[in-house]
Amino acid sequence: MTPIRVLIVDDHPVVRAGIEGMLASQPDLEIVGQAADGAGAVALCADLHPAVVLMDLRMAGMDGVAATRAIKSRFPAIQVLVLTTYDSDADILRAIEAGATGYLLKDTPREQLFQAIRAAARGEAALAPTVAARLMTRMRAPAEEALSAREIEVLARVARGASNRQVGRELHISEATVKTHLIHIFDKLGVADRTAAVTAALERGILVLEG
C-alpha cells in the first residue's frame, strides 16, 4: 500500500518535530516535508505534492487560512487538515470556507489524529467534537441570527479596538462596507452598539478572547 504523503505546517519547530515523531510510528503515513509558514507550505506543495497538509492557523506572514485557500486553488487534489489550538467560530468558518477538509485541535488524541489524516486523504471530513458541535449549532440557528465569516472578521477587529477605517484597511474593504456589516451584525445580535455586539459575541462563543 502506498503511504499517505503528509506535509506538516507550523511556526513552532518543537511542534513540528513532535507531530513528525508521532506520525513516524504509522507505516502508512510518510512525512515528506515541513514548513514554518503559509508561503512555505504553498511552495512545498508545488514541489512535493503531499496528499494531506497538516495546517496550523495563526502564523506570521501568510496565515493558515490564506495558505489553505492558495493550496486548494492551485492543487485541488491536496487535502488540508487544520491542526490548531483555536476553536472560535471565526477561525472554524474561515478555514472551512477556504477549503479545509477537516479541523482538529492540538489536544486531539494520537489515534484520532492518525484516523483523521487517513480520512482526509480519502476526501472525508474530519472534525474535532467541539468543532462539529459549533458547526451544528450554527446550522440549527435561524439564518438571520448567524453571522457570516466576514461579519465575524469585522467584529473580531472591532473587539480589538479597531476603528471602521482600520477595519476596512485590514480587510481591504471600504469604510462604508464596514458600516454596513456592523448594521447587519447589530441586527442579528439584537444590539444597538459596538460594545454590546462584542459582549454578545463573546457570551455566545462567536468570538473568543486571545490569551
Side-chain angles (χ1 to χ4, degrees):
M1 181 174 59
T2 304
I4 297 170
R5 296 167 60 81
V6 181
L7 173 66
I8 299 171
V9 186
D10 197 288
D11 58 352
H12 292 96
V14 173
V15 173
R16 295 198 304 272
I19 294 172
E20 180 164 8
M22 280 196 298
L23 301 188
S25 67
Q26 304 300 297
D28 63 330
L29 304 180
E30 177 188 1
I31 308 303
V32 296
Q34 297 183 11
D37 56 32
V42 177
L44 285 179
C45 281
D47 293 336
L48 303 174
H49 300 287
V52 177
V53 178
L54 281 181
M55 181 73 75
D56 190 19
L57 275 190
R58 304 196 183 177
M59 299 175 288
M62 179 184 282
D63 67 8
V65 170
T68 297
R69 188 176 294 111
I71 290 169
K72 295 304 294 183
S73 174
R74 293 178 57 185
F75 316 105
I78 295 177
Q79 305 297 335
V80 179
L81 180 57
V82 171
L83 186 61
T84 181
T85 56
Y86 301 98
D87 67 345
S88 74
D89 283 19
D91 289 311
I92 295 167
L93 285 174
R94 291 176 64 233
I96 298 300
E97 289 182 358
T101 303
Y103 196 109
L104 298 179
L105 303 180
K106 287 182 178 176
D107 60 359
T108 297
R110 295 162 58 102
E111 286 301 324
Q112 288 185 24
L113 175 60
F114 302 153
Q115 292 303 323
I117 293 172
R118 294 174 184 126
R122 296 190 297 267
E124 300 172 5
L127 300 172
T130 55
V131 172
R134 282 183 177 276
L135 289 175
M136 288 300 295
T137 298
R138 286 187 61 85
M139 288 175 65
R140 290 171 180 155
E144 66 272 11
E145 294 180 6
L147 301 189
S148 68
R150 176 61 95 184
E151 288 167 348
I152 293 174
E153 285 184 312
V154 169
L155 191 55
R157 284 162 174 77
V158 169
R160 295 201 300 265
S163 66
N164 290 357
R165 179 173 297 178
Q166 291 170 323
V167 173
R169 189 180 305 121
E170 290 183 21
L171 296 179
H172 307 292
I173 57 180
S174 70
E175 192 171 345
T177 300
V178 174
K179 291 178 180 178
T180 299
H181 281 311
L182 286 173
I183 290 171
H184 292 159
I185 290 168
F186 296 167
D187 184 52
K188 290 179 179 181
L189 297 180
V191 298
D193 58 51
R194 299 158 72 96
T195 302
V198 171
T199 300
L202 290 171
E203 290 175 348
R204 300 179 195 183
I206 298 171
L207 296 178
V208 292
L209 288 175
E210 296 180 27

